[in-house]
Each structure stands twice: as structure tokens, then as C-alpha cells.
Amino acid sequence: MATTQADRIGSLDTVRGLAVLGILLMNIVAFAMPDAAYMNPKAYGGHQGIDLAVYLVNFVLFDGKMRGLFSFLFGASMLLVIDRAAAKGESPARVHFQRMAWLFVFGIAHLLLLWWGDILNQYAVIGAIAYTCRNASVRALVTRGVVLAGVAWLLYAMMPLGVMAMQAGIHDPDPAKAAEAAKSLRAFIDTMGVPGPAHIQEELALHRGSWSGLVAHRWGELAHSLSTTLFVGAETLGYMLLGMAGLRSGMLTGGWSRARYARWMLVGFGVGIPGYALLAAWLVSRDFELLTVATATMPLAALLRVPMILGWGCLILLVARPGGGLTERLAAAGRMAFTNYLTTSIVMTTLFYGYGLGWYGTLSRAALYPIVFAMWAAMLLWSPAWLARFRYGPFEWLWRSLARLELQPMRRTSVLPR
């Protein structure tokens, strides 16, 4: 698949565009339902019929894969900015760290003011660390990425081990130790098990309440939210390094041959899809029991995630048709990924939270997806229309201007045909 450099950047945008759309497939549940529903369909939103089918399809094909693909793209894009800064005679370190500092600010504002599921602050911290690997070879980047994925697996394996320890601890003859184990186990149940009615009602009341109440709650949980970077940071850094390798090797820029993309797509999906399907069958057979959920969705799923991400990346680049209408719209959505990510949060929280339409907890799992498809259509329509007139998406422009301490040109000198 011989391409010009411009085409290769377009390929990068296309993959990013599909990733930012795909993230909403999973995030919609986190926007619309109590926390545990994301991990466990028995927690809320329906776990039979079409609702169960939706959960299982997402688990096998999309859960973690779109987030991972987005992390790959972030690493690749970050390295591209560093390379371009160096080529222009600018300080790569200054450009990079100013971008990461402002991304962290955006992330904290997003977390506190809009939605608890922000990933930008984590990307800023991990992106700062990834800078140290900017000059590494493709082989070194791949090796470090795989090692970090292994470290993440070890961390994730602590979750089912912790559940087993707490389940045993509640029978401790020491009442104080038994009570502490029960308290810790309840926290696990509230995030990946089936929470009790009181906890569900508390979450419903919070999210159907005022904006100020939500901000106060997220402020109180800020330290805990930021600590998740320590837990998932190894995996995210590994994915960023693999994305940097993808840029250097030509994989993420459309530089491979079609045969090579097809071969690695078959390898990735050939390993990942059967593996995830077996995990899905196990979850159903065990009726989404807590220890099974903790084991299947964390360490075992993590083992299969990289092959699936590789499969998705190769598939997208294999079928993308430069100049095609859908490909161009996906590329535009990818060029405005930052704006589309934040706009999605604005729209979804307005729909679901109490200061908006208050739909939180009112729709079944399957009923959420017409909203997802409508948001996809909006992104695919408005992104190319905006970029026909402006150089950047609005949040990309603001980020770039702040990071460079200078207002960047926004309007195109001539309007491109739609």
C-alpha cells in the first residue's frame, strides 16, 4: 500500500476517527447507568435477551479495544508532534511538555465539571513519561510495550486474588478483621458485582440531582480518580509505546502492504476473538458471579487485548479507501478527536444527568445505542463541515494556542468545497 506522507497522515486520522467513535460504544453505559453496569450486566440495565447480546458483543469486539487503539494513536500522534517540532528547529521537549501540561488541565476540568470517566489527565501524565522513549528503535519500543503490558497483567491479576482474599476474610474469627474484609468486598461489589438497592438508589439520586452536587462529589473522589493512573498506567504507557512503534514502522500510517495488513489482522482476530468468546461464555455460565467477572474482565481480557487492537488497526487500514466519502469523514472526526471526545461528554451528560434531561438510569442497555448512532452521525457530519472552514477543531485550536502561548490562525484562507 504505497502512499505519500500526506496519505499516511490521513490514514492515521482515519484510525483515530474510528477509535473515537468506538469509545462511545462502551462509555455510553458509564454515562447512563450506575458504575457497576459497565462491568456486570446484572448490576443494571438488563442482562437477558437483546440487552445481554449487546453486552456480549461489546465485550468480545470493543471493550478495551477502542480505548487501547486510541492510546496507540495518542502515542503515534505525540511522536509525530515531537518529530515535527525537531524538524522546525523548535525545542521538542518544550513543545511536548507544554502540550501535556495543558492536556492535564483540560483533563482535570473535564473530570470535575463534566464526567468522572476522563482519560485526558492520565494521557498527559503517561505521555510525559513516554517522551523518554522518543528516540528508541521500533524493536525497543515493541519490547518495552509488551513488557509493560505484562506488568499491567500482573497488576490486574491482583483483583481476583484480592476478591478471594476478601471472601475468605469475612469469615475471620476476629470481628474487626471480618468487618474490614466485608467493607472492602462491598467496594468491589459496587464496581463490578451486583450492588444492593441502597447503593443503586444513591447513584441514581446523585446523577439525577444538581450539577453542583455532582461537582462536589467528584471533587471528593478526585484523589481516588487520579490514583487510577497508577493502576492502569503501565498498560496505557505500553500501548503508547506500541503506537510509537506503529508510526515508526509504517503500520499506523498505511505504509504496509495489503498482504501484511491482512496477515496481521487474521493473527490478531484469530487469537483475540475466540479467546474473548470463551471468556464471554464463561461469564454467562457462571451467571456473572463476582470472582468470575474480576478474573475474566481484568487479567484474562488483558492478555487478549493487544492482539485485538492489532487486528482492529489492520482491518481499518486495510478497508479504508482514500478519497472515499466515509473514509474522509472518519479522518475528519479523527483530526477533531479532542473536540469530539469533549463534545460527546457535553452532549451525553446533558442528556443523562439531572441538570439536563435526566435520563440517567431510565433506559435499558440496548436502548442506549440509538443515541450512540445519532452521536456518530453528528460527528461524521459536523467534523468535515467544520474543517472545510477552519484549520482545527475548536478544542484543538484552544489547546494548541495555550500550549504555544500564542493564538493560532483558525480560519482557512480559502473555504474548501464541501
Side-chain angles (χ1 to χ4, degrees):
M1 184 184 289
T3 58
T4 66
Q5 183 63 25
D7 287 331
R8 291 179 178 182
I9 301 302
S11 298
L12 200 67
D13 288 334
T14 301
V15 180
R16 188 188 300 109
L18 197 141
V20 77
L21 266 64
I23 286 173
L24 184 56
L25 282 170
M26 300 309 305
N27 281 357
I28 188 67
V29 176
F31 281 119
M33 294 181 184
D35 292 354
Y38 185 99
M39 303 290 286
N40 193 327
K42 288 191 69 177
Y44 202 87
H47 64 283
Q48 296 177 332
I50 190 172
D51 293 313
L52 176 60
V54 166
Y55 172 88
L56 294 175
V57 168
N58 278 332
F59 175 74
V60 172
L61 294 180
F62 303 110
D63 182 26
K65 295 79 167 172
M66 295 298 107
R67 172 179 57 83
L69 189 59
F70 203 63
S71 300
F72 271 48
L73 269 296
F74 187 90
S77 299
M78 180 190 72
L79 187 57
L80 193 62
V81 170
I82 292 170
D83 287 348
R84 285 176 170 174
K88 292 178 181 178
E90 299 175 334
S91 166
R94 179 182 59 80
V95 170
H96 176 73
F97 286 107
Q98 286 182 181
R99 291 180 78 245
M100 293 303 102
W102 280 108
L103 185 64
F104 185 80
V105 172
F106 276 111
I108 295 299
H110 179 225
L111 189 157
L112 290 175
L113 303 179
L114 283 174
W115 185 50
W116 62 268
D118 172 72
I119 200 172
L120 301 177
N121 71 84
Q122 179 194 135
Y123 275 18
V125 173
I126 302 303
I129 298 171
Y131 180 82
T132 62
C133 299
R134 66 194 181 281
N135 294 322
S137 67
V138 171
R139 182 183 295 274
L141 289 168
V142 170
T143 300
R144 294 172 192 177
V146 171
V147 168
L148 285 163
V151 172
W153 179 85
L154 291 173
L155 292 172
Y156 293 153
M158 294 171 59
M159 296 193 73
L161 294 174
V163 170
M164 287 189 288
M166 286 178 279
Q167 288 175 334
I170 62 176
H171 302 294
D172 194 291
D174 185 332
K177 291 182 179 179
E180 184 62 29
K183 179 181 178 181
S184 298
L185 184 60
R186 173 52 56 186
F188 265 94
I189 292 171
D190 288 343
T191 55
M192 61 176 55
V194 181
H199 182 82
I200 292 293
Q201 288 303 315
E202 182 180 326
E203 286 204 53
L204 294 176
L206 174 66
H207 290 88
R208 292 172 182 173
S210 67
W211 177 77
S212 59
L214 279 164
V215 172
H217 176 77
R218 288 191 288 256
W219 176 258
E221 295 288 318
L222 181 59
H224 173 73
S225 297
L226 295 179
S227 70
T228 60
T229 299
L230 299 176
F231 186 67
V232 302
E235 183 181 44
T236 301
L237 178 57
Y239 291 167
M240 286 186 187
L241 298 187
L242 291 172
M244 292 163 70
L247 180 75
R248 289 279 189 251
S249 70
M251 179 264 171
L252 283 176
T253 58
W256 286 5
S257 69
R258 293 186 64 84
R260 192 177 184 186
Y261 280 117
R263 182 168 63 252
W264 282 106
M265 179 193 71
L266 292 174
V267 169
F269 284 155
V271 171
I273 291 178
Y276 270 102
L278 287 173
L279 292 181
W282 186 41
L283 285 166
V284 173
S285 70
R286 297 288 295 174
D287 198 27
F288 296 93
E289 176 265 337
L290 177 63
L291 181 58
T292 305
V293 172
T295 305
T297 64
M298 299 304 293
L300 296 185
L303 287 174
L304 301 166
R305 198 167 291 139
V306 171
M308 286 293 291
I309 296 168
L310 178 63
W312 271 113
C314 289
L315 175 62
I316 296 165
L317 290 166
L318 191 61
V319 303
R321 185 169 61 87
L326 180 57
T327 299
E328 294 301 305
R329 289 186 181 278
L330 284 170
R335 287 171 59 192
M336 290 177 54
F338 187 40
T339 290
N340 282 322
Y341 175 75
L342 293 176
T343 301
T344 296
S345 291
I346 293 169
V347 172
M348 294 301 145
T349 53
T350 301
L351 291 177
F352 291 106
Y353 289 176
Y355 55 81
L357 298 183
W359 290 354
Y360 190 86
T362 64
L363 301 177
S364 71
R365 188 177 299 268
L368 296 174
Y369 287 88
I371 299 171
V372 172
F373 302 146
M375 191 67 205
W376 284 1
M379 284 191 272
L380 292 175
L381 287 170
W382 97 293
S383 297
W386 179 276
L387 290 174
R389 293 163 174 79
F390 302 100
R391 296 171 183 265
Y392 315 104
F395 283 111
E396 282 81 3
W397 173 82
L398 180 58
W399 183 20
R400 187 180 180 91
S401 296
L402 289 169
R404 293 176 178 269
L405 302 177
E406 182 182 5
L407 290 179
Q408 299 296 297
M410 182 62 160
R411 279 193 169 274
R412 292 187 177 276
T413 54
S414 62
V415 177
L416 299 178
R418 294 180 63 178

